[in-house]
Amino acid sequence: MRDLKSLKERKECMLFQTSEKDSRNGWIGGNAPAYFDELEGMVNKDMQRYFYCSIVNPFDETEMISIFAPKDFEDRISKNRYPNCSLLTMKHPKTEESKLGTFADPDLVKHYISEANILSDKASFEERFLIKFGGTPRHIQGEKYYYTELHDDGFDFLFQVDEDGYPDTLIKPRKSYPFAFGAIYLYAQMLEDSIENPIKSYWQYS
């Protein structure tokens, strides 16, 4: 268990890559966590969604944070920023991968998330990564309207998932990157000893 103080100070961050080895840190692609087996109606309440990825909370190993993306790319790109982002982002109890393919994206090949590499936030801007947890976001587009309202509403940067960190084996042949070679940015409310829901998000593309 890590101290949340490091997340709030933002001098250091954790970088995660994909891995063939299960480090118990979550996965991208494949089936959703079993927690969602009975929640299809909630996930697909306003539109059909695919599971994208789940990461175990580095500050509480009993929790996971999962991301679901709309099946229709037009639903993704037409609502790609707060407060109307169409991604479903949720903190929930840690569970194993479901045996049900209810939310599986047929274009993605499941990969595990690696152990974390901890380094200074400044150094992270020279590195490729799948996930950057903590520190400051590395944006593709610099417009402040992506995050100004989030800050105003009491949310701070939590982590990003960057398609620049995909291995060649993650996308099936002749299939497109789900976020147009982009990145997802998740924000949360930080309390003294916990990361709180709701977790909000936006995404950018190249």
Side-chain angles (χ1 to χ4, degrees):
M1 197 77 67
R2 296 182 173 93
D3 188 345
L4 272 173
K5 182 179 179 182
S6 65
L7 190 60
K8 294 175 181 178
E9 290 178 345
R10 303 197 177 277
K11 295 177 182 178
E12 293 183 336
C13 64
M14 291 168 276
L15 300 188
F16 298 85
Q17 313 294 345
T18 59
S19 174
E20 295 180 0
K21 176 185 175 183
D22 186 359
S23 299
R24 312 298 295 171
N25 288 324
W27 63 94
I28 182 169
N31 295 337
Y35 176 81
F36 293 97
D37 282 354
E38 305 298 324
L39 297 177
E40 184 176 1
M42 183 271 290
V43 173
N44 293 331
K45 181 179 180 180
D46 54 342
M47 64 187 72
Q48 296 290 305
R49 289 182 173 88
Y50 284 137
F51 168 70
Y52 181 58
C53 74
S54 287
I55 183 170
V56 175
N57 180 356
F59 298 92
D60 186 343
E61 61 186 17
T62 69
E63 296 178 347
M64 301 182 86
I65 301 166
S66 292
I67 303 171
F68 291 79
K71 290 184 178 182
D72 188 334
F73 186 76
E74 286 304 313
D75 285 331
R76 294 180 209 175
I77 203 165
S78 64
K79 297 178 180 179
N80 72 326
R81 59 188 173 100
Y82 180 81
N84 298 311
C85 188
S86 60
L87 300 178
L88 175 68
T89 55
M90 185 174 175
K91 185 183 76 169
H92 59 87
K94 180 181 177 182
T95 56
E96 299 295 325
E97 183 182 8
S98 175
K99 292 180 170 57
L100 306 177
T102 307
F103 302 107
D105 186 336
D107 294 350
L108 300 182
V109 177
K110 178 188 168 184
H111 285 63
Y112 293 110
I113 295 172
S114 71
E115 295 283 2
N117 179 27
I118 301 174
L119 70 169
S120 72
D121 186 56
K122 183 178 180 181
S124 73
F125 281 80
E126 304 300 322
E127 301 289 333
R128 287 186 67 190
F129 55 81
L130 175 71
I131 294 173
K132 177 181 181 179
F133 209 112
T136 55
R138 183 166 74 188
H139 283 113
I140 296 171
Q141 300 177 28
E143 291 85 356
K144 292 183 179 180
Y145 57 67
Y146 279 101
Y147 52 83
T148 297
E149 276 191 81
L150 283 158
H151 289 166
D152 290 345
D153 290 344
F155 293 92
D156 292 303
F157 174 68
L158 184 61
F159 72 90
Q160 71 182 88
V161 186
D162 200 313
E163 292 191 320
D164 183 50
Y166 281 7
D168 293 339
T169 50
L170 198 146
I171 303 289
K172 289 185 178 178
R174 296 179 295 279
K175 299 299 181 179
S176 301
Y177 280 63
F179 297 99
F181 205 70
I184 296 171
Y185 304 84
L186 274 70
Y187 284 61
Q189 294 174 331
M190 313 295 183
L191 301 185
E192 284 301 314
D193 57 356
S194 65
I195 296 166
E196 289 302 304
N197 270 329
I199 292 174
K200 301 298 184 181
S201 61
Y202 57 89
W203 66 276
Q204 301 178 343
Y205 55 94
S206 299

